[in-house]
Amino acid sequence: MSVYDCQEPTERTTGLDEAVHALGRGALVVLPTDTVYGIAAEAFDARAVAGLLAAKGRGRQMPPPVLVGTVETLDGLATEVPAVVRDLVGKFWPGPLTVICLAQPSLAWDLGDTDGTVALRMPADQTTLALLRRTGPLAVSSANLSGQPSAHTAAQAVAYFGDKVAVYLDAGRTGGGTASTIVDATGERLTILREGALSRAELAAVAPELAEEPESSPDGVAAPDGGTVVVSDPGGATAGGVTADDATADDATADDATGGGATPGGGTAAAGEGDRAR
């Protein structure tokens, strides 16, 4: 286990190099985001992703979101992306916006029980963006044990994971603290699953269809096709089995849910613990 002070230029360079090597061999890395710290694994390494879930104490029914280093990566990971989603990410990426899209069916990855969806975010943190541009997409969940508060410092993440994580990139206290806003783009119309750092009004300025909240059902807010998003805790959300806790992490970062998978456009999404890398 190594901790690198990314506020010092030389140590930041060394830390990034070591993080790239660690991820490449299937190990875990803790990284900063604009919301909270996230715990990361190589997105296309199924064993590494399973290790991430195990470290957090969660199962396949709560898969992590994916952080990307460029807007262009959206088309490599998602399919049938609506034009309005492109407008949203053009405005709010990098930043605290997680979008849930249909995943490219040809991708050779296993994030867990995603029901064919993927939650994507581009965080506004220069250290993590530098890492993502070297590694490609990373599966990232908030750096905390399931059910515990998200880590806002590298020291808090070390307390959670210790030597289960190979490299900690310490960039000081995260500047956000509020989870990313999660938008589900897998139904006939966009739906806000969690209103976080970005308000409905801010999103509606780009996507007018988000100006009005869908009519609520008895158990929660309406899902795109009449299902429900059951809100049990304001921290996170899942859709299509994808836990929108970005951390990164938030988050991506989102930004974690505490139970149950979901089917976008028709299932149930449980909103739970923290930001999924977030």
Side-chain angles (χ1 to χ4, degrees), residues 89-155:
V89 300
K91 173 68 174 178
F92 297 113
W93 278 11
L97 172 66
T98 298
V99 292
I100 298 174
C101 299
L102 298 175
Q104 287 282 1
S106 61
L107 290 174
W109 64 6
D110 183 4
L111 299 174
D113 298 335
T114 66
D115 198 32
T117 69
V118 62
L120 300 170
R121 187 164 94 86
M122 182 179 175
D125 181 273
Q126 292 307 309
T127 296
T128 293
L129 286 176
L131 179 63
L132 288 164
R133 286 163 184 162
R134 293 177 61 179
T135 63
L138 295 176
V140 182
S141 184
S142 54
N144 58 289
L145 301 179
S146 189
Q148 298 298 311
S150 298
H152 294 279
T153 66

Side-chain angles (χ1 to χ4, degrees), residues 4-60:
Y4 295 92
D5 181 2
C6 293
Q7 298 178 95
E8 198 283 314
T10 300
E11 196 163 339
R12 178 179 184 270
T13 298
T14 302
L16 286 171
D17 289 343
E18 291 302 312
V20 170
H21 295 153
L23 291 163
R25 66 175 184 268
L28 303 178
V29 169
V30 160
L31 45 75
T33 76
D34 47 337
T35 54
V36 298
Y37 274 81
I39 179 172
E42 163 59 52
F44 293 94
D45 184 335
R47 292 180 66 180
V49 174
L52 184 160
L53 295 175
K56 282 181 63 81
R58 58 169 40 173
R60 288 178 52 84

Side-chain angles (χ1 to χ4, degrees), residues 35 67 121 245-255 276-278:
T35 54
L67 297 190
R121 187 164 94 86
D245 65 341
D246 49 20
T248 33
D250 152 10
D251 279 176
T253 230
D255 2 284
R276 97 181 158 134
R278 202 153 275 189

Side-chain angles (χ1 to χ4, degrees), residues 88 92 181 192 195 198-208 210-212:
L88 286 170
F92 297 113
T181 295
I192 297 176
E195 188 172 342
L198 292 173
S199 68
R200 180 178 295 276
E202 289 175 293
L203 296 176
V206 177
L210 292 174
E212 296 182 6

Side-chain angles (χ1 to χ4, degrees), residues 181-248:
T181 295
I182 303 168
V183 174
D184 183 358
T186 63
E188 293 184 1
R189 58 165 288 167
L190 300 184
T191 303
I192 297 176
L193 294 186
R194 179 179 71 200
E195 188 172 342
L198 292 173
S199 68
R200 180 178 295 276
E202 289 175 293
L203 296 176
V206 177
E209 66 188 272
L210 292 174
E212 296 182 6
E213 186 174 350
E215 188 174 326
S216 295
S217 73
D219 294 323
V221 297
D225 75 346
T228 60
V229 179
V230 179
V231 179
S232 58
D233 183 333
T238 66
V242 175
T243 306
D245 65 341
D246 49 20
T248 33

